[in-house]
Amino acid sequence: MSQRPRYADKNSTQTLREGLAEYYALNPHVTPPEMQPPEFTKILRAHDVGHVIYGCDTGMHDELKILPLFWWTSECNFRTFLKMRNSPAVDIMYDELIKEKGVLWLYGSMLSVLPGLISELLPIWLKTRKRQKILPFLEFEFLLDRPLLDIRQEYDLLQFIE
């Protein structure tokens, strides 16, 4: 069994920049943001930054978990997500995933993790209903050289990281 990434440790003192480098090194299958159209690069990089800040991997459970975490704890609320989702650039990611794995795999994987995920998301939603401090989404660059633990403490995210 492989060792858990340093960025996934909820008390990691690794900087966000270091965590992002580790994330890309451990996940060569992740679509490189710089290889995408310019309007999508920023969205994709922000999504990858979220994986690091929230300590999520790229399995279906964490991919589905990260979206509500964004909606409830960051500037990327559901309405923002829907606007981004309607961008043709976002279709690139889904098309590549379906091309690589197949549509049955994609939706089958989603359905297999959804029941357990719903019971995990309900308490998170209850804890995030009256948040005062929200994490930046697209404008995250000022956080790159800060330790993950500091970011997670400042934005009250430790409670959502296993």
Side-chain angles (χ1 to χ4, degrees):
M1 180 174 207
S2 63
Q3 188 177 10
R4 192 176 157 134
R6 285 182 52 214
Y7 70 81
D9 174 358
K10 78 187 300 180
N11 296 307
S12 178
T13 56
Q14 189 178 38
T15 66
L16 176 55
R17 186 182 310 277
E18 292 166 339
L20 198 55
E22 180 185 27
Y23 172 80
Y24 288 129
L26 293 173
N27 296 291
H29 61 281
V30 168
T31 305
E34 59 278 353
M35 302 298 288
Q36 299 303 315
E39 67 274 15
F40 188 49
T41 298
K42 198 165 193 169
I43 295 169
L44 190 55
R45 177 134 358 247
H47 176 85
D48 295 344
V49 163
H51 274 275
V52 174
I53 290 176
Y54 297 112
C56 291
D57 65 31
T58 58
M60 188 56 69
H61 176 272
D62 280 5
E63 286 292 351
L64 292 177
K65 179 181 176 180
I66 201 169
L67 288 173
L69 281 171
F70 277 131
W71 301 335
W72 303 332
T73 65
S74 84
E75 293 173 344
C76 182
N77 59 33
F78 188 67
R79 185 172 299 161
T80 306
F81 169 76
L82 289 178
K83 285 180 192 172
M84 287 187 285
R85 180 61 189 103
N86 287 330
S87 164
V90 175
D91 292 335
I92 292 169
M93 181 175 66
Y94 293 108
D95 291 345
E96 284 181 6
L97 189 59
I98 289 171
K99 183 177 166 184
E100 179 185 333
K101 302 278 190 173
V103 73
L104 289 176
W105 173 88
L106 177 63
Y107 292 108
S109 296
M110 288 177 169
L111 289 173
S112 71
V113 300
L114 211 51
L117 185 62
I118 289 171
S119 64
E120 187 179 338
L121 290 175
L122 184 60
I124 293 173
W125 177 72
L126 291 171
K127 291 177 184 176
T128 60
R129 292 191 52 212
K130 299 194 184 209
R131 290 187 71 79
Q132 298 297 314
K133 187 126 187 183
I134 57 173
L135 183 70
F137 182 69
L138 293 175
E139 305 300 327
F140 59 82
E141 290 82 8
F142 73 97
L143 297 172
L144 285 170
D145 295 312
R146 292 196 45 209
L148 288 169
L149 180 59
D150 291 355
I151 295 167
R152 292 166 177 168
Q153 286 173 329
E154 180 178 342
Y155 293 96
D156 193 23
L157 301 173
L158 286 172
Q159 61 187 318
F160 308 120
I161 301 169
E162 297 171 0

mmCIF file of all heavy atoms in Angstrom, residues 20-61:
data_model
loop_
_atom_site.group_PDB
_atom_site.id
_atom_site.type_symbol
_atom_site.label_atom_id
_atom_site.label_comp_id
_atom_site.label_asym_id
_atom_site.label_seq_id
_atom_site.Cartn_x
_atom_site.Cartn_y
_atom_site.Cartn_z
ATOM 1 N N LEU A 20 0.989 21.200 -4.073
ATOM 2 C CA LEU A 20 0.539 21.131 -5.463
ATOM 3 C C LEU A 20 1.557 20.366 -6.316
ATOM 4 O O LEU A 20 1.170 19.532 -7.146
ATOM 5 C CB LEU A 20 0.321 22.545 -6.001
ATOM 6 C CG LEU A 20 -0.515 22.706 -7.250
ATOM 7 C CD1 LEU A 20 -1.888 22.064 -7.096
ATOM 8 C CD2 LEU A 20 -0.666 24.181 -7.595
ATOM 9 N N ALA A 21 2.840 20.613 -6.096
ATOM 10 C CA ALA A 21 3.887 19.880 -6.830
ATOM 11 C C ALA A 21 3.800 18.388 -6.508
ATOM 12 O O ALA A 21 3.907 17.538 -7.405
ATOM 13 C CB ALA A 21 5.270 20.429 -6.476
ATOM 14 N N GLU A 22 3.583 18.046 -5.244
ATOM 15 C CA GLU A 22 3.443 16.643 -4.852
ATOM 16 C C GLU A 22 2.191 16.033 -5.502
ATOM 17 O O GLU A 22 2.225 14.904 -6.003
ATOM 18 C CB GLU A 22 3.360 16.524 -3.327
ATOM 19 C CG GLU A 22 3.214 15.085 -2.857
ATOM 20 C CD GLU A 22 3.017 14.957 -1.360
ATOM 21 O OE1 GLU A 22 2.496 15.909 -0.716
ATOM 22 O OE2 GLU A 22 3.368 13.890 -0.831
ATOM 23 N N TYR A 23 1.106 16.782 -5.496
ATOM 24 C CA TYR A 23 -0.146 16.313 -6.100
ATOM 25 C C TYR A 23 0.071 15.953 -7.573
ATOM 26 O O TYR A 23 -0.345 14.887 -8.031
ATOM 27 C CB TYR A 23 -1.212 17.405 -5.947
ATOM 28 C CG TYR A 23 -2.493 17.142 -6.690
ATOM 29 C CD1 TYR A 23 -3.463 16.278 -6.172
ATOM 30 C CD2 TYR A 23 -2.762 17.773 -7.901
ATOM 31 C CE1 TYR A 23 -4.651 16.038 -6.850
ATOM 32 C CE2 TYR A 23 -3.947 17.544 -8.575
ATOM 33 C CZ TYR A 23 -4.890 16.680 -8.046
ATOM 34 O OH TYR A 23 -6.063 16.450 -8.718
ATOM 35 N N TYR A 24 0.737 16.831 -8.330
ATOM 36 C CA TYR A 24 0.972 16.557 -9.746
ATOM 37 C C TYR A 24 1.943 15.388 -9.932
ATOM 38 O O TYR A 24 1.765 14.575 -10.837
ATOM 39 C CB TYR A 24 1.480 17.801 -10.471
ATOM 40 C CG TYR A 24 0.416 18.857 -10.668
ATOM 41 C CD1 TYR A 24 0.636 20.169 -10.286
ATOM 42 C CD2 TYR A 24 -0.812 18.538 -11.219
ATOM 43 C CE1 TYR A 24 -0.343 21.140 -10.458
ATOM 44 C CE2 TYR A 24 -1.802 19.498 -11.390
ATOM 45 C CZ TYR A 24 -1.551 20.799 -11.014
ATOM 46 O OH TYR A 24 -2.525 21.753 -11.189
ATOM 47 N N ALA A 25 2.941 15.283 -9.073
ATOM 48 C CA ALA A 25 3.900 14.173 -9.170
ATOM 49 C C ALA A 25 3.221 12.827 -8.898
ATOM 50 O O ALA A 25 3.530 11.827 -9.553
ATOM 51 C CB ALA A 25 5.058 14.385 -8.196
ATOM 52 N N LEU A 26 2.294 12.799 -7.941
ATOM 53 C CA LEU A 26 1.611 11.554 -7.582
ATOM 54 C C LEU A 26 0.440 11.212 -8.505
ATOM 55 O O LEU A 26 -0.058 10.095 -8.469
ATOM 56 C CB LEU A 26 1.096 11.637 -6.141
ATOM 57 C CG LEU A 26 2.160 11.699 -5.060
ATOM 58 C CD1 LEU A 26 1.520 11.944 -3.694
ATOM 59 C CD2 LEU A 26 2.994 10.429 -5.047
ATOM 60 N N ASN A 27 0.019 12.175 -9.305
ATOM 61 C CA ASN A 27 -1.153 11.982 -10.165
ATOM 62 C C ASN A 27 -0.844 12.360 -11.614
ATOM 63 O O ASN A 27 -1.410 13.327 -12.144
ATOM 64 C CB ASN A 27 -2.326 12.819 -9.638
ATOM 65 C CG ASN A 27 -2.776 12.370 -8.275
ATOM 66 O OD1 ASN A 27 -3.340 11.289 -8.129
ATOM 67 N ND2 ASN A 27 -2.515 13.186 -7.261
ATOM 68 N N PRO A 28 0.021 11.602 -12.267
ATOM 69 C CA PRO A 28 0.375 11.954 -13.650
ATOM 70 C C PRO A 28 -0.811 11.862 -14.615
ATOM 71 O O PRO A 28 -0.753 12.415 -15.714
ATOM 72 C CB PRO A 28 1.471 10.930 -14.015
ATOM 73 C CG PRO A 28 1.289 9.805 -13.059
ATOM 74 C CD PRO A 28 0.700 10.396 -11.805
ATOM 75 N N HIS A 29 -1.886 11.201 -14.198
ATOM 76 C CA HIS A 29 -3.079 11.091 -15.035
ATOM 77 C C HIS A 29 -3.935 12.360 -15.015
ATOM 78 O O HIS A 29 -4.839 12.500 -15.829
ATOM 79 C CB HIS A 29 -3.932 9.910 -14.565
ATOM 80 C CG HIS A 29 -4.400 10.061 -13.154
ATOM 81 N ND1 HIS A 29 -3.580 9.804 -12.067
ATOM 82 C CD2 HIS A 29 -5.575 10.467 -12.635
ATOM 83 C CE1 HIS A 29 -4.253 10.035 -10.957
ATOM 84 N NE2 HIS A 29 -5.470 10.440 -11.270
ATOM 85 N N VAL A 30 -3.645 13.277 -14.106
ATOM 86 C CA VAL A 30 -4.418 14.518 -13.997
ATOM 87 C C VAL A 30 -4.119 15.406 -15.207
ATOM 88 O O VAL A 30 -2.973 15.555 -15.610
ATOM 89 C CB VAL A 30 -4.068 15.259 -12.678
ATOM 90 C CG1 VAL A 30 -4.624 16.664 -12.655
ATOM 91 C CG2 VAL A 30 -4.573 14.463 -11.489
ATOM 92 N N THR A 31 -5.165 15.967 -15.766
ATOM 93 C CA THR A 31 -5.026 16.846 -16.920
ATOM 94 C C THR A 31 -4.192 18.064 -16.536
ATOM 95 O O THR A 31 -4.577 18.813 -15.641
ATOM 96 C CB THR A 31 -6.414 17.320 -17.406
ATOM 97 O OG1 THR A 31 -7.223 16.166 -17.658
ATOM 98 C CG2 THR A 31 -6.305 18.155 -18.657
ATOM 99 N N PRO A 32 -3.039 18.286 -17.184
ATOM 100 C CA PRO A 32 -2.213 19.448 -16.846
ATOM 101 C C PRO A 32 -2.932 20.753 -17.224
ATOM 102 O O PRO A 32 -3.324 20.922 -18.375
ATOM 103 C CB PRO A 32 -0.949 19.275 -17.692
ATOM 104 C CG PRO A 32 -0.995 17.873 -18.219
ATOM 105 C CD PRO A 32 -2.430 17.454 -18.217
ATOM 106 N N PRO A 33 -3.126 21.659 -16.268
ATOM 107 C CA PRO A 33 -3.845 22.904 -16.564
ATOM 108 C C PRO A 33 -3.236 23.698 -17.718
ATOM 109 O O PRO A 33 -3.961 24.261 -18.536
ATOM 110 C CB PRO A 33 -3.758 23.696 -15.258
ATOM 111 C CG PRO A 33 -3.542 22.669 -14.208
ATOM 112 C CD PRO A 33 -2.753 21.571 -14.859
ATOM 113 N N GLU A 34 -1.901 23.724 -17.792
ATOM 114 C CA GLU A 34 -1.257 24.537 -18.825
ATOM 115 C C GLU A 34 -1.450 23.967 -20.232
ATOM 116 O O GLU A 34 -1.172 24.637 -21.211
ATOM 117 C CB GLU A 34 0.236 24.728 -18.528
ATOM 118 C CG GLU A 34 1.040 23.447 -18.426
ATOM 119 C CD GLU A 34 0.948 22.763 -17.066
ATOM 120 O OE1 GLU A 34 0.369 23.317 -16.113
ATOM 121 O OE2 GLU A 34 1.465 21.644 -16.964
ATOM 122 N N MET A 35 -1.979 22.753 -20.345
ATOM 123 C CA MET A 35 -2.233 22.136 -21.643
ATOM 124 C C MET A 35 -3.665 22.406 -22.130
ATOM 125 O O MET A 35 -4.079 21.873 -23.149
ATOM 126 C CB MET A 35 -2.006 20.617 -21.563
ATOM 127 C CG MET A 35 -0.607 20.221 -21.115
ATOM 128 S SD MET A 35 0.683 20.774 -22.229
ATOM 129 C CE MET A 35 0.407 19.681 -23.594
ATOM 130 N N GLN A 36 -4.399 23.206 -21.399
ATOM 131 C CA GLN A 36 -5.799 23.471 -21.711
ATOM 132 C C GLN A 36 -5.969 24.879 -22.283
ATOM 133 O O GLN A 36 -5.080 25.714 -22.154
ATOM 134 C CB GLN A 36 -6.646 23.329 -20.444
ATOM 135 C CG GLN A 36 -6.585 21.944 -19.848
ATOM 136 C CD GLN A 36 -7.007 20.873 -20.836
ATOM 137 O OE1 GLN A 36 -7.999 21.018 -21.537
ATOM 138 N NE2 GLN A 36 -6.255 19.783 -20.897
ATOM 139 N N PRO A 37 -7.129 25.162 -22.852
ATOM 140 C CA PRO A 37 -7.400 26.532 -23.316
ATOM 141 C C PRO A 37 -7.265 27.499 -22.138
ATOM 142 O O PRO A 37 -7.569 27.138 -20.997
ATOM 143 C CB PRO A 37 -8.851 26.465 -23.809
ATOM 144 C CG PRO A 37 -9.103 25.025 -24.094
ATOM 145 C CD PRO A 37 -8.242 24.256 -23.123
ATOM 146 N N PRO A 38 -6.815 28.721 -22.396
ATOM 147 C CA PRO A 38 -6.558 29.683 -21.319
ATOM 148 C C PRO A 38 -7.727 29.896 -20.354
ATOM 149 O O PRO A 38 -7.532 30.016 -19.154
ATOM 150 C CB PRO A 38 -6.223 30.985 -22.057
ATOM 151 C CG PRO A 38 -5.817 30.561 -23.421
ATOM 152 C CD PRO A 38 -6.508 29.263 -23.710
ATOM 153 N N GLU A 39 -8.955 29.890 -20.874
ATOM 154 C CA GLU A 39 -10.104 30.145 -20.000
ATOM 155 C C GLU A 39 -10.353 28.981 -19.036
ATOM 156 O O GLU A 39 -11.031 29.135 -18.034
ATOM 157 C CB GLU A 39 -11.366 30.443 -20.816
ATOM 158 C CG GLU A 39 -11.902 29.279 -21.631
ATOM 159 C CD GLU A 39 -11.278 29.114 -23.016
ATOM 160 O OE1 GLU A 39 -10.228 29.716 -23.300
ATOM 161 O OE2 GLU A 39 -11.844 28.346 -23.826
ATOM 162 N N PHE A 40 -9.802 27.821 -19.350
ATOM 163 C CA PHE A 40 -9.985 26.657 -18.499
ATOM 164 C C PHE A 40 -8.810 26.428 -17.551
ATOM 165 O O PHE A 40 -8.965 25.816 -16.503
ATOM 166 C CB PHE A 40 -10.222 25.422 -19.370
ATOM 167 C CG PHE A 40 -10.607 24.199 -18.597
ATOM 168 C CD1 PHE A 40 -11.612 24.240 -17.641
ATOM 169 C CD2 PHE A 40 -9.968 22.999 -18.824
ATOM 170 C CE1 PHE A 40 -11.967 23.109 -16.923
ATOM 171 C CE2 PHE A 40 -10.324 21.857 -18.113
ATOM 172 C CZ PHE A 40 -11.326 21.914 -17.169
ATOM 173 N N THR A 41 -7.640 26.926 -17.918
ATOM 174 C CA THR A 41 -6.438 26.718 -17.109
ATOM 175 C C THR A 41 -6.658 27.152 -15.667
ATOM 176 O O THR A 41 -6.328 26.420 -14.727
ATOM 177 C CB THR A 41 -5.245 27.489 -17.721
ATOM 178 O OG1 THR A 41 -5.003 26.959 -19.018
ATOM 179 C CG2 THR A 41 -4.002 27.363 -16.874
ATOM 180 N N LYS A 42 -7.210 28.321 -15.474
ATOM 181 C CA LYS A 42 -7.391 28.861 -14.128
ATOM 182 C C LYS A 42 -8.391 28.034 -13.318
ATOM 183 O O LYS A 42 -8.179 27.773 -12.132
ATOM 184 C CB LYS A 42 -7.840 30.324 -14.212
ATOM 185 C CG LYS A 42 -7.642 31.074 -12.940
ATOM 186 C CD LYS A 42 -7.744 32.565 -13.161
ATOM 187 C CE LYS A 42 -7.217 33.266 -11.940
ATOM 188 N NZ LYS A 42 -7.017 34.655 -12.114
ATOM 189 N N ILE A 43 -9.467 27.597 -13.942
ATOM 190 C CA ILE A 43 -10.469 26.781 -13.252
ATOM 191 C C ILE A 43 -9.866 25.437 -12.850
ATOM 192 O O ILE A 43 -10.031 24.975 -11.720
ATOM 193 C CB ILE A 43 -11.714 26.563 -14.142
ATOM 194 C CG1 ILE A 43 -12.430 27.886 -14.395
ATOM 195 C CG2 ILE A 43 -12.655 25.541 -13.517
ATOM 196 C CD1 ILE A 43 -13.498 27.809 -15.475
ATOM 197 N N LEU A 44 -9.155 24.814 -13.780
ATOM 198 C CA LEU A 44 -8.570 23.509 -13.511
ATOM 199 C C LEU A 44 -7.507 23.602 -12.410
ATOM 200 O O LEU A 44 -7.463 22.768 -11.509
ATOM 201 C CB LEU A 44 -7.968 22.925 -14.788
ATOM 202 C CG LEU A 44 -7.520 21.485 -14.732
ATOM 203 C CD1 LEU A 44 -8.641 20.568 -14.268
ATOM 204 C CD2 LEU A 44 -7.015 21.036 -16.095
ATOM 205 N N ARG A 45 -6.668 24.634 -12.452
ATOM 206 C CA ARG A 45 -5.645 24.797 -11.418
ATOM 207 C C ARG A 45 -6.321 25.051 -10.065
ATOM 208 O O ARG A 45 -5.892 24.510 -9.048
ATOM 209 C CB ARG A 45 -4.688 25.931 -11.761
ATOM 210 C CG ARG A 45 -3.683 26.125 -10.658
ATOM 211 C CD ARG A 45 -2.239 26.293 -10.952
ATOM 212 N NE ARG A 45 -1.728 26.228 -12.266
ATOM 213 C CZ ARG A 45 -0.916 25.245 -12.694
ATOM 214 N NH1 ARG A 45 -0.586 24.276 -11.908
ATOM 215 N NH2 ARG A 45 -0.444 25.271 -13.913
ATOM 216 N N ALA A 46 -7.380 25.838 -10.028
ATOM 217 C CA ALA A 46 -8.096 26.085 -8.769
ATOM 218 C C ALA A 46 -8.682 24.780 -8.226
ATOM 219 O O ALA A 46 -8.654 24.542 -7.014
ATOM 220 C CB ALA A 46 -9.199 27.116 -8.985
ATOM 221 N N HIS A 47 -9.186 23.941 -9.108
ATOM 222 C CA HIS A 47 -9.711 22.636 -8.688
ATOM 223 C C HIS A 47 -8.590 21.792 -8.073
ATOM 224 O O HIS A 47 -8.763 21.182 -7.015
ATOM 225 C CB HIS A 47 -10.333 21.924 -9.895
ATOM 226 C CG HIS A 47 -10.824 20.549 -9.598
ATOM 227 N ND1 HIS A 47 -12.067 20.307 -9.072
ATOM 228 C CD2 HIS A 47 -10.226 19.339 -9.744
ATOM 229 C CE1 HIS A 47 -12.222 18.996 -8.911
ATOM 230 N NE2 HIS A 47 -11.125 18.394 -9.307
ATOM 231 N N ASP A 48 -7.423 21.782 -8.721
ATOM 232 C CA ASP A 48 -6.281 21.020 -8.215
ATOM 233 C C ASP A 48 -5.795 21.567 -6.878
ATOM 234 O O ASP A 48 -5.454 20.804 -5.969
ATOM 235 C CB ASP A 48 -5.147 21.024 -9.241
ATOM 236 C CG ASP A 48 -5.525 20.296 -10.531
ATOM 237 O OD1 ASP A 48 -6.518 19.544 -10.538
ATOM 238 O OD2 ASP A 48 -4.818 20.497 -11.537
ATOM 239 N N VAL A 49 -5.792 22.882 -6.731
ATOM 240 C CA VAL A 49 -5.438 23.511 -5.457
ATOM 241 C C VAL A 49 -6.400 23.044 -4.372
ATOM 242 O O VAL A 49 -5.999 22.756 -3.242
ATOM 243 C CB VAL A 49 -5.426 25.056 -5.584
ATOM 244 C CG1 VAL A 49 -5.484 25.743 -4.232
ATOM 245 C CG2 VAL A 49 -4.191 25.505 -6.359
ATOM 246 N N GLY A 50 -7.674 22.934 -4.722
ATOM 247 C CA GLY A 50 -8.661 22.435 -3.768
ATOM 248 C C GLY A 50 -8.346 21.024 -3.301
ATOM 249 O O GLY A 50 -8.478 20.712 -2.116
ATOM 250 N N HIS A 51 -7.907 20.168 -4.218
ATOM 251 C CA HIS A 51 -7.522 18.809 -3.824
ATOM 252 C C HIS A 51 -6.450 18.862 -2.734
ATOM 253 O O HIS A 51 -6.505 18.096 -1.773
ATOM 254 C CB HIS A 51 -6.980 18.024 -5.026
ATOM 255 C CG HIS A 51 -8.038 17.356 -5.831
ATOM 256 N ND1 HIS A 51 -8.540 16.121 -5.507
ATOM 257 C CD2 HIS A 51 -8.695 17.753 -6.948
ATOM 258 C CE1 HIS A 51 -9.457 15.777 -6.401
ATOM 259 N NE2 HIS A 51 -9.580 16.760 -7.281
ATOM 260 N N VAL A 52 -5.511 19.748 -2.897
ATOM 261 C CA VAL A 52 -4.414 19.847 -1.933
ATOM 262 C C VAL A 52 -4.897 20.452 -0.613
ATOM 263 O O VAL A 52 -4.642 19.902 0.459
ATOM 264 C CB VAL A 52 -3.238 20.667 -2.531
ATOM 265 C CG1 VAL A 52 -2.161 20.907 -1.488
ATOM 266 C CG2 VAL A 52 -2.666 19.952 -3.754
ATOM 267 N N ILE A 53 -5.608 21.554 -0.680
ATOM 268 C CA ILE A 53 -6.062 22.218 0.547
ATOM 269 C C ILE A 53 -7.007 21.330 1.349
ATOM 270 O O ILE A 53 -6.899 21.235 2.571
ATOM 271 C CB ILE A 53 -6.723 23.576 0.229
ATOM 272 C CG1 ILE A 53 -5.652 24.568 -0.236
ATOM 273 C CG2 ILE A 53 -7.466 24.124 1.451
ATOM 274 C CD1 ILE A 53 -6.186 25.915 -0.684
ATOM 275 N N TYR A 54 -7.918 20.652 0.670
ATOM 276 C CA TYR A 54 -8.873 19.788 1.364
ATOM 277 C C TYR A 54 -8.322 18.385 1.629
ATOM 278 O O TYR A 54 -8.999 17.551 2.214
ATOM 279 C CB TYR A 54 -10.182 19.677 0.573
ATOM 280 C CG TYR A 54 -10.925 20.975 0.414
ATOM 281 C CD1 TYR A 54 -11.056 21.579 -0.829
ATOM 282 C CD2 TYR A 54 -11.500 21.621 1.507
ATOM 283 C CE1 TYR A 54 -11.751 22.769 -0.989
ATOM 284 C CE2 TYR A 54 -12.194 22.811 1.362
ATOM 285 C CZ TYR A 54 -12.312 23.381 0.114
ATOM 286 O OH TYR A 54 -12.997 24.560 -0.047
ATOM 287 N N GLY A 55 -7.099 18.105 1.157
ATOM 288 C CA GLY A 55 -6.473 16.804 1.384
ATOM 289 C C GLY A 55 -7.162 15.670 0.656
ATOM 290 O O GLY A 55 -7.168 14.540 1.130
ATOM 291 N N CYS A 56 -7.727 15.963 -0.505
ATOM 292 C CA CYS A 56 -8.483 14.960 -1.263
ATOM 293 C C CYS A 56 -7.617 14.294 -2.328
ATOM 294 O O CYS A 56 -6.745 14.931 -2.918
ATOM 295 C CB CYS A 56 -9.674 15.618 -1.956
ATOM 296 S SG CYS A 56 -10.964 16.166 -0.826
ATOM 297 N N ASP A 57 -7.913 13.016 -2.594
ATOM 298 C CA ASP A 57 -7.229 12.325 -3.681
ATOM 299 C C ASP A 57 -8.071 12.440 -4.953
ATOM 300 O O ASP A 57 -9.026 13.214 -4.996
ATOM 301 C CB ASP A 57 -6.911 10.875 -3.310
ATOM 302 C CG ASP A 57 -8.148 10.015 -3.092
ATOM 303 O OD1 ASP A 57 -9.196 10.266 -3.731
ATOM 304 O OD2 ASP A 57 -8.069 9.069 -2.290
ATOM 305 N N THR A 58 -7.734 11.652 -5.961
ATOM 306 C CA THR A 58 -8.447 11.753 -7.242
ATOM 307 C C THR A 58 -9.401 10.590 -7.472
ATOM 308 O O THR A 58 -9.889 10.409 -8.586
ATOM 309 C CB THR A 58 -7.450 11.839 -8.415
ATOM 310 O OG1 THR A 58 -6.620 10.676 -8.387
ATOM 311 C CG2 THR A 58 -6.602 13.096 -8.331
ATOM 312 N N GLY A 59 -9.688 9.813 -6.438
ATOM 313 C CA GLY A 59 -10.690 8.754 -6.550
ATOM 314 C C GLY A 59 -12.084 9.358 -6.627
ATOM 315 O O GLY A 59 -12.298 10.533 -6.286
ATOM 316 N N MET A 60 -13.036 8.575 -7.060
ATOM 317 C CA MET A 60 -14.393 9.079 -7.265
ATOM 318 C C MET A 60 -14.998 9.650 -5.981
ATOM 319 O O MET A 60 -15.664 10.691 -6.012
ATOM 320 C CB MET A 60 -15.294 7.981 -7.836
ATOM 321 C CG MET A 60 -16.655 8.490 -8.256
ATOM 322 S SD MET A 60 -16.604 9.856 -9.457
ATOM 323 C CE MET A 60 -16.006 9.025 -10.917
ATOM 324 N N HIS A 61 -14.770 9.000 -4.843
ATOM 325 C CA HIS A 61 -15.311 9.503 -3.570
ATOM 326 C C HIS A 61 -14.865 10.943 -3.332
ATOM 327 O O HIS A 61 -15.679 11.828 -3.068
ATOM 328 C CB HIS A 61 -14.870 8.598 -2.417
ATOM 329 C CG HIS A 61 -15.298 9.097 -1.082
ATOM 330 N ND1 HIS A 61 -14.536 9.985 -0.340
ATOM 331 C CD2 HIS A 61 -16.414 8.858 -0.350
ATOM 332 C CE1 HIS A 61 -15.169 10.251 0.791
ATOM 333 N NE2 HIS A 61 -16.307 9.583 0.807
#
